[in-house]
Amino acid sequence: MEPQQTDIRAEYEPAVIGRRKSVRAPVSLDAKLGRGGLDRTSCRVTDLSREGARISSYSALKKDSVIWLTLPGVGQVAATVRWADDFQAGCQFNEAIGEAQFEALLEAGRH
């Protein structure tokens, strides 16, 4: 009896080098999340770049919604939710934060 061959297939996607505008860094920062008005909640920034952040929150967020993210030492930053999965979301800042602010957030987020 001959052994049966197993057909193994996989999907692939060409790698896009340099897809992100800037380097992302892991951090752990407490921040505030708001959607305008009195709708505010705490969140944690877990990944940060000058152009955006990954956040964890107890509030479900919707893709393409605009939020206000209050970052420690920076203040309110307008951001658009680019993806959301359960209680995590990736946000793109409407305007990149400054290099000095980014470096200060990295330092604070490493402690």
Side-chain angles (χ1 to χ4, degrees):
M1 183 169 211
E2 288 185 35
Q4 291 184 352
Q5 285 200 339
T6 304
D7 186 16
I8 300 174
R9 298 175 190 214
E11 292 182 12
Y12 73 93
E13 179 179 336
V16 178
I17 306 298
R19 187 171 140 186
R20 296 200 183 274
K21 291 180 182 178
S22 64
V23 177
R24 287 201 173 255
V27 294
S28 181
L29 292 167
D30 291 328
K32 298 279 186 204
L33 168 69
R35 287 174 259 186
L38 299 175
D39 188 17
R40 293 187 198 126
T41 185
S42 294
C43 68
R44 180 167 298 268
V45 177
T46 59
D47 188 54
L48 183 70
S49 76
R50 289 190 57 215
E51 282 81 22
R54 177 191 310 234
I55 59 173
S56 296
S57 171
Y58 291 110
S59 298
L61 297 171
K62 292 185 180 180
K63 184 179 185 257
D64 296 325
S65 62
V66 177
I67 62 169
W68 287 101
L69 187 60
T70 305
L71 298 169
V74 175
Q76 287 189 332
V77 178
T80 302
V81 177
R82 293 298 177 202
W83 62 267
D85 183 18
D86 293 326
F87 299 104
Q88 289 199 31
C91 305
Q92 180 180 5
F93 301 147
N94 292 4
E95 292 184 27
I97 59 175
E99 185 66 33
Q101 292 172 320
F102 176 66
E103 293 297 328
L105 287 169
L106 288 184
E107 184 64 28
R110 290 184 180 132
H111 295 132

XYZ file of all heavy atoms in Angstrom:
851
model
N 0.834 -1.167 0.000
C 0.000 0.000 0.000
C 0.886 1.240 0.000
O 1.773 1.373 0.826
C -0.882 -0.050 1.237
C -1.840 1.071 1.315
S -3.021 0.713 2.620
C -4.391 1.523 1.954
N 0.633 2.141 -0.934
C 1.440 3.349 -1.044
C 0.957 4.416 -0.061
O -0.244 4.565 0.150
C 1.342 3.916 -2.461
C 2.080 3.079 -3.468
C 2.057 3.741 -4.829
O 2.108 4.994 -4.881
O 1.989 3.009 -5.814
N 1.921 5.184 0.529
C 1.499 6.267 1.429
C 0.780 7.357 0.631
O 1.140 7.658 -0.498
C 2.796 6.790 2.037
C 3.890 6.246 1.195
C 3.350 5.075 0.428
N -0.231 7.924 1.249
C -0.968 9.005 0.597
C -0.201 10.307 0.742
O 0.387 10.569 1.784
C -2.357 9.167 1.223
C -3.268 8.025 0.920
C -4.658 8.301 1.485
O -4.871 9.255 2.197
N -5.591 7.437 1.144
N -0.229 11.070 -0.311
C 0.418 12.379 -0.243
C -0.580 13.384 0.299
O -1.750 13.370 -0.064
C 0.891 12.820 -1.612
C 2.125 12.090 -2.047
C 2.819 12.881 -3.132
O 2.219 13.698 -3.787
N 4.098 12.632 -3.287
N -0.079 14.232 1.166
C -0.909 15.298 1.716
C -0.650 16.564 0.931
O 0.495 16.956 0.727
C -0.567 15.533 3.203
O -0.725 14.303 3.891
C -1.465 16.579 3.798
N -1.716 17.184 0.486
C -1.605 18.436 -0.261
C -1.546 19.585 0.748
O -2.500 19.830 1.467
C -2.808 18.597 -1.178
C -2.680 19.794 -2.093
O -1.569 20.321 -2.243
O -3.713 20.199 -2.663
N -0.394 20.236 0.820
C -0.226 21.341 1.750
C -0.152 22.629 0.949
O 0.714 22.795 0.102
C 1.045 21.173 2.603
C 0.951 19.869 3.402
C 1.252 22.359 3.510
C 2.202 19.533 4.148
N -1.065 23.519 1.221
C -1.090 24.807 0.531
C -1.075 25.924 1.568
O -1.561 25.765 2.666
C -2.351 24.951 -0.314
C -2.441 23.915 -1.390
C -3.742 24.025 -2.116
N -3.890 22.858 -2.981
C -4.483 22.898 -4.141
N -5.004 24.020 -4.578
N -4.593 21.826 -4.863
N -0.540 27.037 1.153
C -0.512 28.206 2.035
C -0.716 29.452 1.201
O -0.393 29.474 0.017
C 0.816 28.284 2.779
N -1.262 30.448 1.825
C -1.392 31.735 1.166
C -0.159 32.559 1.481
O 0.476 32.357 2.507
C -2.632 32.477 1.666
C -3.914 31.811 1.255
C -5.128 32.591 1.719
O -4.978 33.745 2.158
O -6.223 32.038 1.643
N 0.166 33.450 0.589
C 1.286 34.337 0.858
C 0.966 35.713 0.321
O 0.083 35.895 -0.504
C 2.584 33.805 0.248
C 2.650 33.932 -1.266
C 3.228 35.044 -1.851
C 2.100 32.959 -2.086
C 3.271 35.173 -3.227
C 2.140 33.078 -3.457
C 2.728 34.187 -4.024
O 2.765 34.323 -5.368
N 1.687 36.656 0.841
C 1.541 38.048 0.424
C 2.941 38.630 0.332
O 3.751 38.417 1.231
C 0.718 38.802 1.474
C 0.524 40.253 1.176
C -0.332 40.924 2.247
O -1.110 40.240 2.925
O -0.178 42.133 2.401
N 3.250 39.342 -0.732
C 4.586 39.943 -0.826
C 4.838 40.898 0.339
O 3.942 41.645 0.733
C 4.550 40.704 -2.149
C 3.397 40.131 -2.906
C 2.429 39.627 -1.882
N 6.019 40.833 0.892
C 6.378 41.727 1.991
C 6.553 43.144 1.455
O 7.141 43.351 0.405
C 7.666 41.269 2.657
N 6.027 44.081 2.197
C 6.192 45.490 1.830
C 7.192 46.089 2.796
O 6.903 46.267 3.971
C 4.842 46.245 1.897
C 5.046 47.713 1.558
C 3.826 45.605 0.975
N 8.387 46.357 2.326
C 9.438 46.916 3.167
C 9.191 48.407 3.322
O 8.861 49.103 2.375
C 10.825 46.678 2.540
C 11.029 45.191 2.242
C 11.921 47.236 3.417
C 10.995 44.297 3.448
N 9.338 48.896 4.545
C 9.179 50.326 4.777
C 7.737 50.793 4.729
O 7.458 51.918 4.381
N 6.809 49.910 5.072
C 5.388 50.256 5.027
C 5.031 51.326 6.047
O 4.198 52.168 5.803
C 4.582 48.986 5.269
C 3.114 49.167 5.091
C 2.452 47.823 5.137
N 1.219 47.919 5.882
C 0.459 46.917 6.197
N 0.812 45.716 5.858
N -0.633 47.085 6.865
N 5.650 51.288 7.202
C 5.372 52.282 8.236
C 6.227 53.518 8.001
O 7.351 53.446 7.553
C 5.675 51.718 9.608
C 4.770 50.561 9.958
C 4.759 50.362 11.451
N 3.968 49.222 11.820
C 2.655 49.252 12.016
N 2.020 50.375 11.854
N 1.996 48.180 12.356
N 5.667 54.663 8.388
C 6.399 55.924 8.220
C 7.522 56.058 9.228
O 8.529 56.682 8.951
C 5.435 57.106 8.377
C 4.450 57.222 7.253
C 3.551 58.414 7.491
C 2.528 58.543 6.408
N 1.620 59.655 6.638
N 7.318 55.512 10.434
C 8.358 55.622 11.455
C 8.358 54.388 12.335
O 7.434 53.583 12.309
C 8.139 56.882 12.299
O 6.924 56.801 13.001
N 9.392 54.255 13.121
C 9.586 53.103 13.987
C 8.537 53.086 15.087
O 8.220 54.115 15.672
C 11.002 53.170 14.608
C 11.224 52.032 15.582
C 12.044 53.182 13.521
N 8.017 51.912 15.364
C 7.111 51.726 16.500
C 7.910 51.145 17.653
O 8.805 50.332 17.442
C 5.973 50.782 16.151
C 4.979 51.418 15.239
C 3.654 50.673 15.329
N 2.683 51.419 14.563
C 1.737 52.170 15.094
N 1.624 52.259 16.396
N 0.895 52.818 14.349
N 7.560 51.554 18.860
C 8.268 51.074 20.041
C 7.264 50.578 21.076
O 6.223 51.203 21.274
C 9.101 52.209 20.640
N 7.566 49.453 21.738
C 6.685 48.986 22.807
C 6.789 49.915 24.012
O 7.884 50.329 24.390
C 7.207 47.589 23.124
C 8.620 47.595 22.663
C 8.696 48.572 21.523
N 5.663 50.269 24.587
C 5.613 51.111 25.778
C 4.484 50.616 26.670
O 3.683 49.770 26.279
C 5.380 52.608 25.439
C 6.548 53.201 24.691
C 4.091 52.797 24.676
N 4.395 51.159 27.852
C 3.286 50.915 28.756
C 2.950 52.242 29.412
O 3.591 52.649 30.377
C 3.667 49.870 29.804
O 2.567 49.623 30.660
N 1.968 52.928 28.830
C 1.592 54.266 29.292
C 0.105 54.328 29.597
O -0.716 53.886 28.788
C 1.880 55.303 28.202
C 3.323 55.581 27.841
C 3.392 56.372 26.543
C 3.981 56.359 28.964
N -0.238 54.864 30.755
C -1.640 55.133 31.054
C -2.043 56.407 30.337
O -1.311 57.395 30.345
C -1.859 55.294 32.563
C -1.679 53.976 33.307
O -1.992 52.919 32.720
O -1.236 54.004 34.463
N -3.205 56.388 29.694
C -3.692 57.546 28.953
C -5.202 57.618 29.106
O -5.819 56.741 29.702
C -3.302 57.426 27.478
N -5.793 58.659 28.568
C -7.245 58.835 28.565
C -7.725 58.807 27.130
O -7.048 59.265 26.215
C -7.642 60.171 29.201
C -7.260 60.311 30.648
C -8.252 59.625 31.526
C -7.895 59.929 32.981
N -8.399 58.947 33.879
N -8.907 58.274 26.958
C -9.507 58.135 25.645
C -10.865 58.821 25.668
O -11.644 58.617 26.596
C -9.668 56.644 25.342
C -10.513 56.224 24.172
C -9.821 56.630 22.880
C -10.725 54.725 24.212
N -11.136 59.659 24.687
C -12.423 60.335 24.621
C -12.937 60.387 23.200
O -12.171 60.343 22.239
N -14.256 60.447 23.085
C -14.874 60.554 21.763
C -15.699 61.820 21.668
O -16.671 61.882 20.960
C -15.740 59.327 21.499
C -14.908 58.100 21.219
C -15.750 56.894 21.115
N -15.641 56.193 22.390
C -16.153 55.017 22.631
N -16.852 54.397 21.737
N -15.983 54.446 23.794
N -15.296 62.814 22.439
C -16.039 64.078 22.452
C -17.025 64.103 23.606
O -17.509 63.073 24.043
N -17.302 65.259 24.098
C -18.250 65.373 25.205
C -17.707 64.760 26.475
O -16.536 64.858 26.794
N -18.569 64.066 27.212
C -18.182 63.475 28.486
C -17.839 61.998 28.372
O -17.660 61.320 29.360
C -19.320 63.661 29.496
C -19.677 65.116 29.794
C -20.900 65.183 30.702
C -18.504 65.835 30.437
N -17.771 61.467 27.166
C -17.501 60.061 26.915
C -16.001 59.798 27.005
O -15.305 59.740 26.006
C -18.044 59.694 25.526
C -17.969 58.207 25.256
O -17.804 57.436 26.213
O -18.073 57.833 24.076
N -15.480 59.648 28.244
C -14.044 59.444 28.458
C -13.811 58.171 29.246
O -14.619 57.796 30.091
C -13.448 60.615 29.236
C -13.465 61.893 28.472
C -12.717 62.979 29.225
N -13.107 64.262 28.693
C -13.578 65.264 29.412
N -13.689 65.158 30.708
N -13.920 66.386 28.840
N -12.678 57.548 28.990
C -12.308 56.339 29.715
C -10.789 56.226 29.754
O -10.094 56.858 28.957
C -12.923 55.080 29.050
O -12.651 53.939 29.848
C -12.397 54.873 27.645
N -10.290 55.425 30.660
C -8.847 55.177 30.729
C -8.465 54.134 29.695
O -9.269 53.288 29.310
C -8.458 54.674 32.115
O -8.670 55.680 33.072
N -7.231 54.193 29.253
C -6.707 53.191 28.331
C -5.212 53.057 28.577
O -4.626 53.818 29.344
C -7.003 53.564 26.877
S -6.121 55.014 26.275
N -4.610 52.098 27.931
C -3.168 51.896 28.028
C -2.594 51.896 26.619
O -3.075 51.191 25.743
C -2.846 50.581 28.723
C -1.346 50.345 28.852
C -1.038 49.221 29.805
N -1.509 49.515 31.144
C -0.786 50.092 32.093
N 0.438 50.472 31.849
N -1.278 50.298 33.291
N -1.562 52.710 26.429
C -0.844 52.730 25.157
C 0.217 51.640 25.247
O 1.035 51.635 26.170
C -0.192 54.109 24.895
C 0.616 54.080 23.607
C -1.250 55.198 24.848
N 0.195 50.682 24.308
C 1.116 49.549 24.363
C 2.164 49.568 23.256
O 3.107 48.786 23.287
C 0.345 48.220 24.302
O -0.410 48.175 23.097
C -0.585 48.080 25.498
N 1.971 50.454 22.287
C 2.859 50.530 21.132
C 2.759 51.964 20.615
O 1.646 52.500 20.527
C 2.339 49.531 20.091
C 3.257 49.343 18.926
O 4.437 49.037 19.147
O 2.799 49.502 17.787
N 3.882 52.590 20.285
C 3.840 54.011 19.963
C 4.817 54.356 18.849
O 5.919 53.822 18.780
C 4.201 54.822 21.217
C 4.158 56.338 21.121
C 2.720 56.837 20.996
C 4.819 56.953 22.342
N 4.383 55.243 17.972
C 5.263 55.869 16.983
C 4.891 57.349 16.951
O 3.942 57.769 17.608
C 5.096 55.242 15.598
O 3.906 55.692 14.975
N 5.596 58.135 16.169
C 5.249 59.549 16.062
C 3.912 59.718 15.336
O 3.234 60.710 15.513
C 6.347 60.319 15.328
C 7.619 60.455 16.159
C 8.615 61.405 15.567
N 8.012 62.711 15.386
C 8.294 63.530 14.376
N 9.176 63.185 13.468
N 7.715 64.695 14.290
N 3.515 58.741 14.530
C 2.292 58.846 13.735
C 1.099 58.115 14.313
O -0.013 58.272 13.819
C 2.534 58.318 12.314
C 3.275 59.277 11.422
C 4.785 59.233 11.655
O 5.266 58.215 12.171
O 5.461 60.214 11.331
N 1.294 57.286 15.359
C 0.151 56.536 15.869
C 0.480 55.693 17.079
O 1.602 55.715 17.592
N -0.531 54.935 17.505
C -0.379 54.114 18.704
C -1.329 52.933 18.665
O -2.363 52.966 18.007
C -0.673 54.950 19.951
N -0.937 51.893 19.403
C -1.845 50.782 19.684
C -2.310 50.981 21.117
O -1.495 51.237 22.000
C -1.133 49.437 19.561
C -2.047 48.265 19.914
C -1.281 46.982 20.046
N -0.433 46.755 18.909
C -0.446 45.643 18.176
N -1.268 44.669 18.487
N 0.378 45.508 17.164
N -3.605 50.869 21.321
C -4.138 51.076 22.667
C -4.983 49.882 23.092
O -5.558 49.184 22.263
C -4.974 52.371 22.767
C -6.153 52.352 21.800
C -4.112 53.594 22.518
C -7.097 53.522 21.964
N -5.027 49.670 24.397
C -5.919 48.694 25.016
C -6.908 49.474 25.859
O -6.516 50.376 26.597
C -5.142 47.729 25.904
O -4.243 46.967 25.140
N -8.186 49.104 25.742
C -9.228 49.839 26.447
C -10.355 48.896 26.828
O -10.535 47.847 26.206
C -9.768 50.950 25.537
O -10.899 51.544 26.094
N -11.132 49.268 27.825
C -12.319 48.496 28.179
C -13.523 48.920 27.348
O -14.585 48.336 27.443
C -12.628 48.646 29.673
C -11.601 47.976 30.536
C -10.718 48.719 31.296
C -11.491 46.593 30.569
C -9.759 48.107 32.087
C -10.534 45.960 31.349
C -9.675 46.734 32.112
O -8.731 46.113 32.878
N -13.354 49.931 26.533
C -14.414 50.398 25.646
C -14.123 49.904 24.234
O -13.017 50.065 23.732
C -14.469 51.931 25.618
O -14.763 52.432 26.891
N -15.123 49.308 23.610
C -14.955 48.853 22.228
C -14.900 50.069 21.310
O -15.664 51.013 21.463
C -16.112 47.942 21.841
N -13.961 50.049 20.377
C -13.809 51.142 19.422
C -14.167 50.651 18.032
O -14.027 49.468 17.722
C -12.372 51.665 19.444
C -11.924 52.275 20.764
C -10.437 52.551 20.737
C -12.685 53.546 21.031
N -14.600 51.568 17.192
C -14.980 51.208 15.828
C -13.982 51.779 14.835
O -13.526 52.918 14.984
C -16.374 51.747 15.505
C -17.461 51.071 16.289
C -18.822 51.553 15.856
C -19.886 50.855 16.676
N -21.214 51.273 16.326
N -13.676 50.976 13.820
C -12.785 51.403 12.754
C -13.309 52.692 12.129
O -14.509 52.876 11.973
C -12.692 50.307 11.696
C -11.720 50.605 10.585
C -11.669 49.452 9.602
C -10.608 49.706 8.585
N -11.053 50.149 7.318
N -12.407 53.602 11.814
C -12.666 54.895 11.178
C -13.290 55.945 12.107
O -13.572 57.047 11.668
C -13.529 54.750 9.914
C -12.826 53.943 8.843
O -11.588 54.058 8.730
O -13.503 53.188 8.120
N -13.494 55.608 13.394
C -13.984 56.632 14.314
C -12.830 57.547 14.712
O -11.665 57.154 14.711
C -14.638 56.010 15.549
O -13.714 55.238 16.279
N -13.145 58.790 15.029
C -12.143 59.765 15.464
C -12.233 59.876 16.980
O -13.323 60.005 17.537
C -12.367 61.135 14.791
C -11.361 62.155 15.303
C -12.262 60.997 13.271
N -11.082 59.796 17.630
C -11.017 59.857 19.089
C -10.027 60.930 19.519
O -9.229 61.410 18.722
C -10.597 58.499 19.696
C -9.186 58.115 19.203
C -11.612 57.417 19.387
C -8.569 56.952 19.934
N -10.107 61.288 20.791
C -9.105 62.141 21.425
C -8.334 61.255 22.382
O -8.906 60.638 23.270
C -9.765 63.288 22.189
C -10.330 64.332 21.295
C -11.648 64.487 20.948
C -9.617 65.362 20.624
N -11.785 65.550 20.095
C -10.552 66.107 19.879
C -8.275 65.728 20.569
C -10.196 67.197 19.093
C -7.907 66.808 19.794
C -8.862 67.531 19.071
N -7.029 61.173 22.196
C -6.165 60.405 23.070
C -5.339 61.398 23.873
O -4.619 62.221 23.300
C -5.260 59.499 22.231
C -4.385 58.499 22.962
C -5.247 57.533 23.773
C -3.523 57.740 21.974
N -5.490 61.369 25.192
C -4.743 62.279 26.060
C -3.496 61.550 26.547
O -3.579 60.623 27.345
C -5.605 62.757 27.242
O -6.810 63.327 26.730
C -4.862 63.794 28.065
N -2.352 61.963 26.034
C -1.072 61.341 26.356
C -0.375 62.110 27.473
O -0.396 63.348 27.469
C -0.178 61.315 25.117
C -0.719 60.506 23.930
C 0.115 60.771 22.685
C -0.728 59.027 24.273
N 0.261 61.408 28.413
C 0.935 62.096 29.522
C 2.046 63.022 29.026
O 2.892 62.618 28.239
C 1.487 60.949 30.370
C 1.493 59.747 29.488
C 0.440 59.964 28.455
N 2.005 64.259 29.474
C 3.018 65.234 29.099
C 2.831 65.838 27.717
O 3.534 66.758 27.342
N 1.882 65.329 26.944
C 1.633 65.821 25.591
C 0.280 66.515 25.513
O 0.138 67.561 24.904
C 1.684 64.665 24.556
C 1.299 65.146 23.163
C 3.072 64.041 24.539
N -0.722 65.937 26.148
C -2.076 66.468 26.081
C -2.913 65.723 25.059
O -2.581 64.599 24.675
N -3.993 66.349 24.605
C -4.918 65.697 23.686
C -4.373 65.655 22.265
O -3.861 66.644 21.749
C -6.252 66.409 23.678
C -7.059 66.179 24.929
C -8.468 66.716 24.793
O -8.716 67.653 24.055
N -9.390 66.108 25.507
N -4.503 64.477 21.661
C -4.087 64.254 20.282
C -5.274 63.623 19.560
O -5.813 62.611 20.008
C -2.866 63.301 20.226
C -2.466 63.019 18.795
C -1.700 63.876 21.017
N -5.697 64.225 18.451
C -6.773 63.644 17.650
C -6.221 62.464 16.872
O -5.113 62.520 16.329
C -7.354 64.684 16.698
N -6.980 61.371 16.828
C -6.532 60.170 16.127
C -7.718 59.478 15.472
O -8.846 59.578 15.946
C -5.841 59.223 17.102
N -7.440 58.768 14.391
C -8.448 57.983 13.693
C -8.160 56.509 13.930
O -7.018 56.063 13.773
C -8.417 58.281 12.181
O -8.630 59.683 11.991
C -9.489 57.501 11.441
N -9.174 55.751 14.313
C -9.024 54.316 14.548
C -8.902 53.625 13.185
O -9.813 53.695 12.376
C -10.219 53.757 15.353
C -10.090 52.246 15.518
C -10.334 54.448 16.702
N -7.771 52.989 12.943
C -7.527 52.316 11.658
C -7.933 50.850 11.694
O -8.275 50.267 10.686
C -6.056 52.441 11.256
C -5.667 53.853 10.930
C -6.478 54.333 9.751
N -6.191 55.720 9.446
C -7.000 56.500 8.791
N -8.163 56.057 8.369
N -6.679 57.740 8.559
N -7.859 50.225 12.882
C -8.350 48.866 13.063
C -8.744 48.698 14.521
O -8.233 49.389 15.399
C -7.309 47.811 12.652
C -6.036 47.850 13.451
C -4.896 48.520 13.141
C -5.781 47.210 14.711
N -3.949 48.339 14.109
C -4.466 47.531 15.084
C -6.539 46.392 15.543
C -3.896 47.070 16.262
C -5.967 45.936 16.717
C -4.658 46.267 17.061
N -9.686 47.829 14.778
C -10.120 47.560 16.139
C -10.468 46.080 16.251
O -11.109 45.516 15.362
C -11.328 48.420 16.500
N -10.021 45.462 17.349
C -10.243 44.041 17.576
C -10.495 43.850 19.066
O -9.579 44.009 19.867
C -9.011 43.260 17.119
C -9.179 41.768 17.259
O -10.323 41.296 17.382
O -8.158 41.060 17.256
N -11.713 43.522 19.407
C -12.110 43.403 20.807
C -11.804 44.717 21.536
O -12.394 45.718 21.231
C -11.453 42.211 21.493
C -11.954 40.882 20.931
O -13.135 40.809 20.556
O -11.168 39.927 20.867
N -10.847 44.680 22.451
C -10.559 45.877 23.226
C -9.170 46.437 22.930
O -8.564 47.086 23.775
C -10.764 45.592 24.710
C -12.182 45.202 25.010
C -12.521 43.882 25.264
C -13.188 46.144 24.971
C -13.828 43.522 25.505
C -14.498 45.795 25.209
C -14.827 44.474 25.476
N -8.671 46.191 21.733
C -7.430 46.793 21.260
C -7.721 47.517 19.960
O -8.617 47.127 19.211
C -6.359 45.735 21.017
C -5.843 45.139 22.301
C -4.510 44.468 22.070
O -3.722 44.879 21.225
N -4.245 43.433 22.840
N -6.952 48.562 19.723
C -7.147 49.327 18.480
C -5.832 49.954 18.054
O -4.989 50.281 18.884
C -8.199 50.415 18.689
N -5.684 50.115 16.773
C -4.557 50.834 16.201
C -5.051 52.184 15.715
O -6.042 52.266 14.989
N -4.399 53.244 16.150
C -4.839 54.603 15.839
C -3.750 55.363 15.097
O -2.573 55.227 15.414
C -5.155 55.360 17.127
S -6.359 54.515 18.159
N -4.167 56.155 14.146
C -3.249 57.038 13.424
C -3.526 58.463 13.871
O -4.668 58.931 13.793
C -3.458 56.908 11.918
C -2.533 57.796 11.124
C -2.762 57.637 9.625
O -3.660 56.949 9.176
N -1.924 58.293 8.856
N -2.490 59.139 14.365
C -2.657 60.521 14.793
C -2.957 61.393 13.586
O -2.374 61.215 12.517
C -1.392 61.035 15.497
C -1.001 60.247 16.723
C 0.334 60.097 17.060
C -1.942 59.662 17.548
C 0.718 59.382 18.179
C -1.581 58.946 18.671
C -0.248 58.805 18.990
N -3.852 62.357 13.761
C -4.157 63.274 12.661
C -2.961 64.150 12.324
O -2.792 64.548 11.179
C -5.384 64.112 12.991
C -6.658 63.271 13.027
O -6.633 62.054 12.875
N -7.779 63.925 13.233
N -2.135 64.449 13.333
C -0.861 65.149 13.138
C 0.185 64.432 13.972
O -0.047 64.124 15.137
C -0.954 66.609 13.588
C -1.851 67.463 12.717
C -1.830 68.922 13.142
O -0.813 69.370 13.711
O -2.832 69.597 12.910
N 1.337 64.158 13.390
C 2.402 63.462 14.101
C 2.835 64.258 15.329
O 2.854 65.493 15.304
C 3.601 63.251 13.179
N 3.173 63.539 16.392
C 3.681 64.223 17.582
C 5.155 64.570 17.333
O 5.836 63.947 16.521
C 3.513 63.373 18.857
C 4.245 62.041 18.751
C 2.043 63.174 19.172
C 4.225 61.214 20.025
N 5.646 65.560 18.045
C 7.019 66.020 17.878
C 8.033 64.989 18.355
O 7.733 64.139 19.192
N 9.234 65.085 17.830
C 10.306 64.150 18.180
C 10.616 64.194 19.681
O 10.780 63.154 20.315
C 11.564 64.459 17.371
C 12.688 63.471 17.583
C 12.396 62.066 17.078
O 11.686 61.920 16.064
O 12.880 61.105 17.715
N 10.684 65.391 20.261
C 10.975 65.519 21.696
C 9.855 64.898 22.536
O 10.116 64.218 23.536
C 11.177 66.987 22.076
N 8.596 65.099 22.133
C 7.461 64.503 22.844
C 7.520 62.978 22.733
O 7.291 62.265 23.715
C 6.141 65.017 22.271
C 5.893 66.485 22.532
C 4.672 66.988 21.790
O 4.429 66.627 20.635
N 3.893 67.829 22.456
N 7.824 62.487 21.543
C 7.926 61.046 21.325
C 9.006 60.439 22.218
O 8.774 59.425 22.886
C 8.219 60.769 19.840
C 8.431 59.324 19.515
C 7.402 58.409 19.640
C 9.664 58.876 19.078
C 7.595 57.059 19.329
C 9.874 57.540 18.762
C 8.838 56.634 18.891
N 10.170 61.054 22.258
C 11.270 60.551 23.087
C 10.891 60.563 24.569
O 11.216 59.629 25.311
C 12.547 61.365 22.849
C 13.142 61.192 21.460
C 13.593 59.767 21.159
O 14.030 59.059 22.086
O 13.500 59.364 19.985
N 10.201 61.622 25.021
C 9.770 61.701 26.424
C 8.762 60.598 26.748
O 8.820 59.991 27.822
C 9.173 63.077 26.709
N 7.848 60.317 25.818
C 6.870 59.243 26.025
C 7.553 57.880 26.067
O 7.188 57.027 26.877
C 5.800 59.274 24.933
C 4.797 60.412 25.033
C 3.973 60.501 23.759
C 3.898 60.237 26.252
N 8.548 57.668 25.214
C 9.291 56.403 25.245
C 9.976 56.221 26.585
O 9.943 55.130 27.168
C 10.339 56.370 24.123
C 9.837 56.213 22.701
C 11.015 56.106 21.735
C 8.921 55.028 22.557
N 10.611 57.279 27.067
C 11.290 57.209 28.358
C 10.299 56.900 29.485
O 10.544 56.052 30.328
C 12.033 58.513 28.639
C 12.842 58.517 29.900
C 13.998 57.514 29.875
O 14.514 57.205 28.799
O 14.363 57.048 30.975
N 9.167 57.585 29.496
C 8.152 57.363 30.532
C 7.538 55.968 30.428
O 7.211 55.347 31.436
C 7.058 58.424 30.420
N 7.399 55.462 29.204
C 6.760 54.171 28.986
C 7.643 52.972 29.262
O 7.165 51.842 29.299
N 8.916 53.199 29.474
C 9.837 52.101 29.775
C 9.960 51.834 31.261
O 10.561 50.864 31.666
C 11.217 52.413 29.186
C 11.219 52.361 27.691
C 12.612 52.575 27.139
N 12.572 52.523 25.688
C 13.148 53.415 24.896
N 13.826 54.415 25.424
N 13.062 53.308 23.613
N 9.469 52.717 32.086
C 9.610 52.570 33.552
C 8.430 51.853 34.149
O 7.377 51.835 33.733
C 9.793 53.933 34.222
C 11.068 54.576 33.816
N 11.133 55.865 33.412
C 12.327 54.085 33.725
C 12.387 56.176 33.098
N 13.115 55.094 33.293
